[in-house]
Amino acid sequence: MSYGGSRAYDVPHSAGSRPPGLKAPELACDCHMHIFDPRFPASAHWTRVPPVATVDDYRLFQERIGTSRTVVVTPSTYGTDNACTLDAVARMGRSARAVVVVDTTVSDAELKQMSDKGVCGIRVNFVSPQSWGVTTAAMLIELSRRLHALDLGWHVQIFMHGQQIVEMEDVLASLPTTLVIDHMGRVPQPAGTSHPAFGAIRRLLDGGKTWVKLSGAYMNTQEEASGYIDVGRVAKEFVHAAPERLVWGSDWPHTIAERLPDDAVLFDLNAEWIPNVATRNRILVDNPQTLYRF
């Protein structure tokens, strides 16, 4: 089967089979995805059966979408065991980087060793169950301060609901490290740009040390059938405000989606949200190169 001369693709954990209409620029980076390899057991705290989403599966995704660089993010499934992520980065080579999950017991030596293996940051998750229990502001602050003192060039990535960002805005603004916000901050809909979460993220962006991932369009939308128009309004405002500190991510294999999205549709949102070609190439290529040190 083909689409206008283009082949069809069968990619695990992805609806549809056509390639995107938007051609990915050379060295385009998917800055948020996860690997789940059955060779690595899930953490004891994790109660759901993880998907099988291997490096080989993800290479099929890359072939379909056209990206060539990757940032592998350790999912909560593995707790603070980053072996699966580090193995994936080693297999992908110089085109891959990692964001890992640690707690406050991690040693400076461990952090330095992971830096040598392509790690550029840590993810602090306030949404999903974590192996240490409840994630607190104090934990976030301590980890950020430690990374800053080590001067590894790492950033802190947060996964929060929009209202959590509102409640922790002062803490987030005070962190000494670069801050990266997952999934556009999960700004609630239908309020969108009128919600306090949007204002909080805009103020953080204006502070100059915060980045936002254009990812997870399906997480808070109420207009999926209309092409994620509601989330698109938020994304376009971020593009207007700080195009120099935005990156794009697929969130493959979409573990919290109610139904699998079409990854070609998700990638094509970049053409709608970022109509200027130079700006789009900046977000897909240049900004990841800066943030993840490719």
Side-chain angles (χ1 to χ4, degrees), residues 31-287:
C31 297
H32 191 103
M33 50 75 67
H34 310 285
I35 294 293
F36 297 87
D37 191 318
R39 293 178 300 148
F40 299 93
S43 169
H45 85 284
W46 198 252
T47 58
R48 289 180 289 166
V49 177
V52 175
T54 65
V55 168
D56 288 340
D57 293 332
Y58 183 70
R59 285 176 173 145
L60 296 175
F61 170 92
Q62 288 182 301
E63 186 178 352
R64 178 187 180 194
I65 303 303
T67 53
S68 56
R69 287 174 168 171
T70 310
V71 179
V72 186
V73 180
T74 297
S76 300
T77 305
Y78 293 114
T80 58
D81 184 350
N82 295 287
C84 180
T85 292
L86 295 176
D87 174 81
V89 170
R91 293 181 64 193
M92 292 181 186
R94 297 176 63 183
S95 66
R97 297 290 186 269
V99 173
V100 297
V101 176
V102 300
D103 60 22
T104 55
T105 66
V106 68
S107 69
D108 290 353
E110 289 175 296
L111 294 171
K112 291 175 181 177
Q113 288 169 1
M114 287 192 287
S115 190
D116 293 336
K117 296 178 180 179
V119 177
C120 294
I122 64 169
R123 190 189 201 202
V124 183
N125 189 326
F126 288 80
V127 176
S128 309
Q130 300 299 301
S131 58
W132 55 78
V134 177
T135 304
T136 64
M139 177 180 178
L140 173 63
I141 293 168
E142 179 180 345
L143 288 171
S144 179
R145 287 176 176 171
R146 284 188 59 192
L147 291 182
H148 181 67
L150 286 174
D151 196 25
L152 298 172
W154 289 20
H155 60 270
V156 172
Q157 176 179 319
I158 57 162
F159 184 29
M160 290 180 170
H161 291 298
Q163 187 57 40
Q164 291 173 308
I165 293 175
V166 173
E167 294 165 0
M168 290 186 61
E169 180 182 354
D170 289 345
V171 170
L172 299 176
S174 71
L175 298 177
T177 51
T178 295
L179 175 70
V180 179
I181 299 177
D182 271 3
H183 307 316
M184 293 180 277
R186 299 200 65 174
V187 176
Q189 299 293 344
T193 57
S194 298
H195 193 278
F198 175 79
I201 297 168
R202 273 299 318 271
R203 287 187 291 273
L204 289 167
L205 281 171
D206 290 344
K209 292 199 305 181
T210 296
W211 295 59
V212 170
K213 289 190 177 184
L214 300 177
S215 58
Y218 48 82
M219 291 185 182
N220 282 331
T221 188
Q222 295 185 2
E223 299 183 37
E224 181 177 348
S226 301
Y228 309 98
I229 292 174
D230 49 358
V231 176
R233 285 189 284 268
V234 172
K236 290 175 183 178
E237 288 296 322
F238 289 151
V239 171
H240 176 73
E244 74 280 7
R245 276 177 282 111
L246 300 179
V247 293
W248 173 83
S250 68
D251 196 38
W252 185 90
H254 314 296
T255 56
I256 63 174
E258 293 183 2
R259 52 188 169 274
L260 287 177
D262 186 327
D263 284 293
V265 170
L266 293 179
F267 189 73
D268 281 341
L269 291 174
N270 286 299
E272 178 186 344
W273 294 352
I274 321 164
N276 182 273
V277 174
T279 301
R280 189 164 64 237
N281 289 349
R282 183 177 193 175
I283 291 170
L284 291 173
V285 180
D286 300 336
N287 289 353

